[in-house]
Amino acid sequence: MTDIAITAASVVAGSNAVRDSGSAGETITAGQAVYRSSTTNKWMLADSDDATAEAKKATGIALNGAALNQPLTVLKSGDITIGATLTAGTAYYLSNTPGGICPVADVGSGEDVCLIGLAKSTSVLAVAIQSPGVTL
């Protein structure tokens, strides 16, 4: 699986961004896909083939880096300059690397499908997360 290479310092929310915040439950880097743990109420790295069902459904993208228990702001939907080179018109999904995002062509067998968004340009991702509960 080939994840997009994100430059954390270049991750910026668009003007239409819907945000949430809380505490990090582990070390998280800007641009990584995350979910809020129902057990700890902290943000954790999402992973499409994790053993925990909850972790397979990303609910946002980290807008800043944070270590355990530090504040984290998350983009839930809207545009994000992701700090990586995208292919306009391509769908991007949660990968099987914790926090990773990959193009649709790299979603593999045994992974739960979780659409992160569609590339509006070579740098902007329109985030509209969908997780239908389907495993490939």
Side-chain angles (χ1 to χ4, degrees), residues 102-118:
C102 67
V104 63
D106 291 330
V107 177
S109 178
E111 295 180 55
D112 277 30
V113 175
C114 182
L115 174 68
I116 301 297
L118 297 172

Side-chain angles (χ1 to χ4, degrees), residues 42-108:
K42 294 182 181 181
W43 292 102
M44 306 290 290
L45 296 174
D47 180 347
S48 67
D49 67 353
D50 194 271
T52 306
E54 181 176 52
K56 297 177 185 182
K57 297 177 182 179
T59 55
I61 306 296
L63 291 172
N64 62 281
L68 176 65
N69 295 323
Q70 289 184 327
L72 185 70
T73 301
V74 174
L75 179 133
K76 303 277 284 177
S77 65
D79 294 345
I80 186 171
T81 299
I82 196 68
T85 302
L86 306 172
T87 301
T90 297
Y92 286 86
Y93 286 77
L94 178 63
S95 87
N96 63 355
T97 302
I101 299 171
C102 67
V104 63
D106 291 330
V107 177

